[in-house]
């Protein structure tokens, strides 16, 4: 009975005899990358013979190689198959009529092919229960993208994109089927699996929040919203979609649409974690805080100052100026009080509100900020300066 060869290409690349655990994962970034590339290419195209020149172009796209070099690499590939525990390894790569190919006599099972078959069965089945069975088996097989280490290689990029695409389509359909069958917990698990694979597939984050809310897990939905929102902002500097904002609002309504107990109030107020250092905010929020401060000044007469902190770029490149502005932002956060809001108002300026401070106190705070900036970043090239304005002079209702 011929030996069956089990090949995994989803999430990792392994080759092993059926029933045996793979001895190792095969990496396209190691010294043997040409050998593993060659084997993967043969297995993917095992339904046809491959001309030598096609293989030479595959392995040496930017250099020159001859048939002898290719033959040496194919010999090494046959030897490598033997080290993976495959019997008859010297005959798994054949050459006939001037074409190389993976032996048609070799019983080869590839997880990507099985995934494709299950996908087709699931999406063409008329019975929802049976479709879900096929789909869940396929989703379980998809432990990661198709040959992820080779995802950007010309010979692999279209396959990687194709399997990713049908995986997401299948997951989306399966979530709908499971929700129709009332199996919400399993639908949430699929959404979680997709988000772990790629947090940028925002549709599944929205679905996960909606399902968690339906399951009475609104707090979990809010935590996921905070995680995704922070990830998008810090990593890609983008905001979440209106659909996610709507799911967030629905979770809040579900959680806080009833009478709040002590723990609910504490949880609501503590979302976002403890506040440390000065408070960075956008321009709209900053203007709102300044407006509240003006009301308090009119009522109590307490002092307050607006400070403009500037960096002189001194001929810096834009990216160098951006780095120095980030340094100034960190110095402000570390120096000013937790109740002092600040916002970026231009490419080289921040504005901060120093409530309760007179001109001398504000000047001292600016001096501490300058000292911290120089101490933390002694090689900073930009020049630091500031200007102070008394809030009473900025009040639009004060007679001039």
């Amino acid at each position: 009975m011929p030996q069956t060869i089990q090949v995994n290409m989803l999430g990792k690349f392994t080759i092993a005899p059926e029933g045996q655990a793979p001895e190792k994962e095969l990496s396209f970034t190691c010294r043997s990358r040409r050998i593993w590339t060659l084997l993967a290419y043969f297995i993917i195209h095992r339904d046809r013979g491959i001309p030598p020149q096609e293989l030479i172009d595959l392995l040496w796209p930017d250099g020159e190689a001859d048939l002898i070099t290719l033959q040496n690499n194919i010999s090494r590939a046959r030897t490598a198959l033997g080290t993976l525990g495959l019997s008859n390894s010297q005959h798994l790569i054949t050459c006939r009529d001037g074409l190389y190919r993976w032996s048609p006599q070799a019983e080869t099972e590839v997880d990507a092919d099985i995934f494709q078959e299950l996908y087709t069965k699931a999406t063409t089945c008329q019975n929802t229960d049976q479709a879900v069975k096929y789909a869940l088996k396929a989703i379980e097989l998809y432990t990661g993208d198709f040959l992820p280490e080779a995802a950007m290689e010309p010979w692999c990029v279209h396959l990687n994109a194709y399997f990713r695409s049908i995986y997401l389509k299948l997951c989306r359909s399966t979530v709908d089927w499971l929700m129709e069958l009332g199996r919400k917990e399993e639908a949430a698990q699929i959404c979680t699996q997709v988000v772990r694979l790629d947090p940028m597939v925002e549709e599944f984050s929205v679905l996960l929040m909606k399902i968690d809310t339906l399951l009475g897990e609104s707090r979990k939905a809010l935590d996921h919203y905070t995680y995704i929102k922070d990830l998008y902002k810090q990593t890609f500097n983008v905001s979440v979609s209106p659909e996610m904002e709507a799911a967030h609002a629905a979770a809040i309504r579900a959680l806080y649409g009833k009478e709040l107990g002590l723990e609910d109030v504490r949880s609501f107020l503590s979302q976002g974690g403890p506040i440390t250092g000065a408070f960075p905010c956008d321009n709209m929020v900053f203007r709102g805080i300044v407006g509240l401060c003006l009301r308090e000044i009119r009522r109590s007469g307490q002092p307050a100052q607006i400070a403009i902190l500037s960096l002189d770029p001194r001929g810096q490149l834009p990216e160098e100026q951006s780095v120095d502005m980030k340094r100034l932002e960190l110095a402000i956060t570390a120096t000013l009080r937790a109740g002092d809001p600040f916002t970026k108002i231009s490419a080289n300026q921040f504005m901060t509100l120093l409530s309760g401070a007179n001109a001398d106190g504000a000047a001292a705070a600016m001096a501490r900020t300058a000292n911290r900036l120089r101490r933390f970043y002694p090689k900073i090239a930009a020049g630091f300066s500031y200007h102070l304005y008394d809030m009473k002079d900025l009040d639009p209702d004060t007679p001039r």
Side-chain angles (χ1 to χ4, degrees), residues 45-301:
H45 299 280
R46 63 190 182 281
D47 59 338
R48 67 179 179 91
I50 305 172
Q53 189 59 50
E54 182 178 335
L55 296 173
I56 291 172
D57 293 340
L58 168 72
L59 298 178
W60 297 277
D62 300 322
E64 295 182 358
D66 54 23
L67 185 58
I68 293 177
T69 305
L70 174 63
Q71 290 171 342
N72 288 337
N73 277 267
I74 289 176
S75 177
R76 291 176 58 203
R78 291 186 177 118
T79 301
L81 288 170
T83 66
L84 299 176
L86 301 180
S87 61
N88 207 25
S89 59
Q90 292 299 313
H91 301 284
L92 290 175
I93 302 173
T94 64
C95 184
R96 186 174 182 179
D97 299 327
L99 300 176
Y100 288 99
R101 70 178 300 166
W102 187 258
S103 174
Q105 280 73 46
E107 294 287 340
T108 308
E109 291 185 357
V110 181
D111 60 348
D113 292 340
I114 299 172
F115 172 82
Q116 171 75 68
E117 293 170 5
L118 290 168
Y119 167 81
T120 302
K121 289 180 178 179
T123 53
T124 57
C125 183
Q126 299 302 312
N127 181 280
T128 302
D129 284 312
Q130 189 59 48
V132 167
K133 290 180 181 179
Y134 290 135
L136 292 179
K137 288 181 180 178
I139 291 169
E140 185 180 1
L141 272 179
Y142 200 96
T143 58
D145 287 334
F146 184 84
L147 298 179
E149 288 189 344
M152 301 310 295
E153 297 294 332
W155 62 272
C156 185
V157 63
H158 67 289
L159 287 170
N160 181 281
Y162 169 73
F163 281 107
R164 162 69 77 95
S165 174
I166 66 172
Y167 168 72
L168 293 177
K169 289 179 182 178
L170 182 61
C171 287
R172 185 65 182 86
S173 297
T174 306
V175 168
D176 289 342
W177 294 332
L178 290 170
M179 294 298 290
E180 180 184 332
L181 295 171
R183 296 159 63 177
K184 299 182 183 67
E185 292 84 356
E186 292 174 83
Q189 290 173 4
I190 291 175
C191 293
T192 300
Q193 180 177 325
V194 175
V195 173
R196 285 174 180 167
L197 176 70
D198 185 358
M200 290 306 293
V201 186
E202 191 178 17
E203 177 185 13
F204 286 89
S205 283
V206 174
L207 285 170
L208 179 59
M209 290 177 62
K210 289 180 177 179
I211 296 170
D212 281 341
T213 301
L214 289 173
L215 289 170
E217 298 283 352
S218 299
R219 202 180 304 279
K220 184 188 290 186
L222 295 176
D223 289 343
H224 185 72
Y225 169 83
T226 301
Y227 162 70
I228 292 295
K229 184 178 181 181
D230 290 347
L231 178 68
Y232 284 15
K233 186 66 176 177
Q234 295 170 10
T235 307
F236 306 103
N237 196 29
V238 296
S239 301
V240 297
S241 68
E243 290 78 11
M244 178 164 275
E245 293 290 2
H248 177 243
I252 289 177
R253 285 196 301 272
L255 183 61
Y256 299 114
K258 58 186 186 299
E259 183 177 351
L260 302 184
L262 176 62
E263 287 303 317
D264 292 323
V265 174
R266 181 181 291 119
S267 173
F268 177 80
L269 295 176
S270 63
Q271 281 187 19
I275 299 175
T276 58
F279 173 56
C281 54
D282 61 32
N283 291 172
M284 182 177 296
V285 172
F286 184 82
R287 284 192 288 267
I289 295 174
V290 169
L292 291 174
C293 182
L294 279 172
R295 293 183 185 183
E296 180 61 23
I297 289 173
R298 293 166 190 159
R299 185 187 67 82
S300 66

Side-chain angles (χ1 to χ4, degrees), residues 347-380:
N348 66 324
Q349 289 183 313
F350 286 101
M351 178 183 291
T352 185
L353 168 65
L354 302 171
S355 58
N358 57 25
D360 290 339
M366 293 300 99
R368 290 195 301 272
T369 303
N371 290 337
R372 189 179 292 267
L373 179 66
R374 295 298 177 188
R375 189 168 72 252
F376 281 9
Y377 310 106
K379 295 183 179 180
I380 187 171

Side-chain angles (χ1 to χ4, degrees), residues 12-28:
K12 58 186 177 182
F13 182 34
T14 63
I15 303 174
E18 185 181 35
Q20 295 185 23
E23 293 188 5
K24 61 179 177 179
E25 291 187 21
L26 310 179
S27 174
F28 294 96

